[in-house]
Amino acid sequence: MNYLICVLQQMLKETRTFTQIMFESYTYLYCFITLSLLPSGFTMLRAFSHTNGRCVFHYTKCWHHRKSVLAIRREDVNAWERRAPLAPKHVKELTKMGYKVLVQPSNRRAIHEKEYVKAGAIIQEDISEASLIIGVKRPPEDKLIPKKNYAFFSHTIKAQEANMPLLDEILRQEIRLFDYEKMVDHKGMRVVAFGKWAGVAGMINILHGLGLRFLALGHHTPFMHIGMAHNYRNSSQAVQAVRDAGYEISLGLMPKSVGPLTFVFTGTGNVSKGAQEMFSALPCEFVEPHELKEVSRSGDLRKVYGTVLSRHHHLVRKRDGQYDPVDYDKHPENYISRFHIDIAPYTTCLINGIYWEQNSPRLLSRQDTQKLLVPVKSAAGAMDGCPELPHRLLAICDISADTGGSIEFMTECTTIDNPFCMYDADQHITHDSVEGSGILMCSIDNLPAQLPIEATEYFGDMLFPYIEEMLLSEGSEPLEKQNYSPVVRNAVIASNGTLTPKYQYIQKLRESREQAESLKMSVEKRVLLLGSGYVSGPVLEYLTRDSNIDITIVSVMKEQLEQLTKKYRNVTPVHMDVLKHEEKLSSLVKKHDLVISLLPYSAHPFVAKKCIDNKVNLVTASYLTPAMKELQESVEAAGITVISEMGLDPGLDHMLAMECIDKAKEVGATVISYTSFCGGLPAPEHSDNPLRYKFSWSPQGVLLNTVQSATYLKDGEIINIPPGGALLDSVTPMDFFPGLNLEGFPNRDSTKYAEPYGIQTARTLLRGTLRYKGYSRAMGGFVKLGLINPDPYPLLSSTAPPLTWKELMCKLVGIKSPAEHHVLKEAVFSKLEKDKSQLEAVEWLGLLGDELVPAADSIVGALAKHMEMKLPFGTGERDMIVMRSEIGLRHPSGHLEDKFIDLVVYGDNKGHSAMAKTVGYPTAIAAKMVLDGEITAKGMVIPLTKNVYGPILERVRAEGIMYSTRSIIKQ
């Protein structure tokens, strides 16, 4: 009789007419009388489901039903999981019906064990006697008991990779699995779910998050007094906190500069309704979606505005802009969402509760969000202490927690421990904070666990009507012999060691997904490119030929980023200074398979450390500096490949040398001399300035090279040139191309290449730099004046008063400023030791004039910026690369041979410069070889071995980088 009362109470909760209730009551009474007339020890148990006011009965014979045992297992997957599938009131009904209920002990469960004991349950660890074991979340694989009935949220119906081992174990142990998520009525609507409480908790959380976000943006708001959902004993306490905040809002205590607040709720199910229920505790007004634009601009600041979004509000067919619900259900791929156009620009906070399926339009993509986050223009009356919002869309609470779903960029759920993160659409990264630029994101996937008692009671009310029929059978019995209702039968994922017919697609989905992922892992690679200068073009052009390579390019130069992403496919731009955003750089490195650094060489150790930390390979074109060498052990310990010296010089010079040296060794020859000179120059017709030089490379690096020290070997004697400019006194005319009028000077330490080249027998070893005649002399003048000084110079900092070149030169030559032009000129001329050509270069660059010195950390940094503006390649002008290597060989016969290797490359008028090609293509080719597994060596690598330089030289020739060799044999 108690059970009949329970059933009547259930019907009264639903929408029934008096006639329906009376009819069903008589029906139940008939069943009860029939049950009482059955023989002793025999009971007819009934399972029922309600569908549109109809009650469907299923009868099963069962002897000695008191022996049927139900077990409520302990939740042990997540520390925050404090729910249970049934509350004590449900256990009490089951025990009254004669069932034995076991509850595994758990101090974490929100409802105390004594309440279950009071309801008639037995608290014990061993639940092996139960025929049905129920929980909320999945059990660990090692806790499964063979051939039992289990009911829980398995999260396997999409072949979710994380839960496939669990499904395998369920099949192996011949367990019958009931999945709550698939308990649906004839319309496909879920009849057992926590949905409402996900919405309630999610709404509380995002209001708390908004309080924090507003504070980070400079605004104290009433939302600061709302806590996270789990901080409240129950939802009533949370409602009161929200009402208190609402009262302050109604008093006009929201900052005026933030404007009216608008909340958009997607979906019309229990999730959305739960969120709306909590939202209604605020002084709110619901408007239609088309009214959102108006209220976002001129709404009442003493209230907040909400709108509920259905499909027809934002979905349109691609071909005609219309929405047809029947057609949409059949062909969702033919539709697009206008949410980012019609709704999002007027939304403060989005509460997303819609389920997303493959081929359905997304609500928001990354590209959509980039446009939405464009900063708004400040009003004329805006004040520092009362800032306007940077953009309208401030927060997204994705209650659906569907990663990569309707919110494309929500790729990882947040947690109750760390509920919020900021998504920066411009940089396409997330960071755990409520500060910085971007959108506040909250996407917790176990929200009801924050209100565990109410969620348990709510869920139990929905599950209870189906418990009995799940309990009636043993998991070892054949499924086809069970007389389950459609709701229960359709929720059986696995039984008797196989997937049920309805869910056999899981295996196919799993196989196709695993195959796709395997293929993806083998061909799809992610490259992080740091730097957007001249060299980045050929790197992108080469790598993007492979459609399976996705590239993220990071740079401080926003215009360059925009141009590159328009020109090349599969390229994602990130506008950021990597040296100032260490945490963001680390986050980016972690998401990629390989990093290419085109930053100045001084930045490479910083980048390399991030690659080491995240075990990501690195390729650079710069020298393997001492600072990089110090990381050798760390690189090897991380098991990664770090390739350096993969450009032109260093790079192609190594490869061309090693190709020749290795061939010589194959015939028994020894190397007795090696010289190599290389230079990036303007084409002769464009060398029309006192330096005979223009910049297609880092100006600061070029300038600093002139004051570096140098060491080389000549005729068995080591020659050391000290730093500070003495290098420019060691200039030698280069006549191998007489028409070019070249000069050369030593470059760094040449002797260190004797061992890696394997040419310890060489008596001459020299690597140098080529320039047009006159360059070194002009640079010598800058050295004399102290302009090639890398030391910090505070007077040029961005915070110091502006300084003109004339004023700076007065300081450098030691005269009082301001000085007459002729006085300064004479002082400078004297400092230059009366060298007219050097004075000409100084005057030509405007260093005696009133032009402002660019802000920089050092004088040489300022000069580099100035030269970059004064000496760029003009439209239609091209550069040129010249390299000459000479290798002296002694053959076993005693014959001597001189090998000459010449490389001359011109830039394209409307394409890549010669420098960009000769640095970019080798770098890109090496990167591709690492991605494809052609280069597998771990540790620090430079291109000195045949397995590396051989393929690269072959492939650069295919890119039009041609070189020639010739020999002269001496007796």
Side-chain angles (χ1 to χ4, degrees), residues 700-773:
Q700 186 161 332
V702 170
L703 295 174
L704 288 174
N705 280 344
T706 63
V707 293
Q708 297 282 356
S709 61
T711 301
Y712 63 96
L713 182 68
K714 184 175 183 181
D715 297 329
E717 180 184 0
I718 293 179
I719 309 297
N720 289 304
I721 300 174
L727 188 68
L728 299 174
D729 298 326
S730 304
V731 174
T732 304
M734 295 288 157
D735 59 358
F736 50 83
F737 292 135
L740 293 180
N741 198 20
L742 298 172
E743 62 183 25
F745 50 88
N747 186 10
R748 303 181 187 239
D749 184 1
S750 301
T751 63
K752 67 180 182 179
Y753 289 99
E755 184 176 345
Y757 277 17
I759 54 173
Q760 293 91 334
T761 54
R763 291 178 53 78
T764 296
L765 181 52
L766 172 61
R767 300 174 76 254
T769 299
L770 289 175
R771 293 289 184 262
Y772 287 121
K773 188 177 180 180

Side-chain angles (χ1 to χ4, degrees), residues 660-891:
C660 179
I661 291 168
D662 284 346
K663 287 181 179 179
K665 288 181 177 180
E666 288 175 5
V667 297
T670 57
V671 176
I672 58 175
S673 67
Y674 172 81
T675 62
S676 178
F677 282 84
C678 179
L681 305 163
E685 67 271 26
H686 303 307
S687 58
D688 52 346
N689 62 67
L691 272 73
R692 283 78 162 157
Y693 196 79
K694 292 185 178 180
F695 290 96
S696 62
W697 192 237
S698 169
Q700 186 161 332
V702 170
L703 295 174
L704 288 174
N705 280 344
T706 63
V707 293
Q708 297 282 356
S709 61
T711 301
Y712 63 96
L713 182 68
K714 184 175 183 181
D715 297 329
E717 180 184 0
I718 293 179
I719 309 297
N720 289 304
I721 300 174
L727 188 68
L728 299 174
D729 298 326
S730 304
V731 174
T732 304
M734 295 288 157
D735 59 358
F736 50 83
F737 292 135
L740 293 180
N741 198 20
L742 298 172
E743 62 183 25
F745 50 88
N747 186 10
R748 303 181 187 239
D749 184 1
S750 301
T751 63
K752 67 180 182 179
Y753 289 99
E755 184 176 345
Y757 277 17
I759 54 173
Q760 293 91 334
T761 54
R763 291 178 53 78
T764 296
L765 181 52
L766 172 61
R767 300 174 76 254
T769 299
L770 289 175
R771 293 289 184 262
Y772 287 121
K773 188 177 180 180
Y775 171 89
S776 299
R777 189 169 182 178
M779 281 293 176
F782 300 145
V783 173
K784 292 176 186 176
L785 292 170
L787 289 167
I788 316 296
N789 187 346
D791 296 335
Y793 199 78
L795 291 179
L796 296 180
S797 71
S798 57
T799 57
L803 197 67
T804 66
W805 280 108
K806 181 178 180 180
E807 291 169 334
L808 177 60
M809 293 300 292
C810 286
K811 293 179 183 297
L812 293 178
V813 298
I815 64 174
K816 188 175 180 180
S817 178
E820 295 292 329
H821 179 77
H822 71 276
V823 175
L824 175 60
K825 181 176 179 180
E826 185 60 33
V828 168
F829 191 48
S830 177
K831 191 85 171 177
L832 295 175
E833 301 172 341
K834 308 296 183 179
D835 191 312
K836 292 183 179 180
S837 64
Q838 291 179 343
L839 179 63
E840 179 188 359
V842 169
E843 288 188 298
W844 188 91
L845 285 171
L847 302 184
L848 304 183
D850 294 322
E851 188 174 348
L852 291 176
V853 181
D857 296 328
S858 62
I859 295 176
V860 70
L863 182 63
K865 291 181 180 180
H866 184 70
M867 284 188 167
E868 190 172 19
M869 292 185 290
K870 292 288 186 180
L871 295 169
F873 282 88
T875 303
E877 293 184 349
R878 59 180 183 159
D879 69 331
M880 177 178 66
I881 294 298
V882 179
M883 181 189 292
R884 159 61 71 91
S885 296
E886 299 179 13
I887 303 174
L889 304 175
R890 176 179 282 114
H891 289 273

Side-chain angles (χ1 to χ4, degrees), residues 208-226:
H208 168 70
L210 277 171
L212 298 176
R213 179 58 178 157
F214 275 126
L215 189 64
L217 293 172
H219 310 282
H220 170 79
T221 66
F223 298 125
M224 280 298 297
H225 304 303
I226 299 174

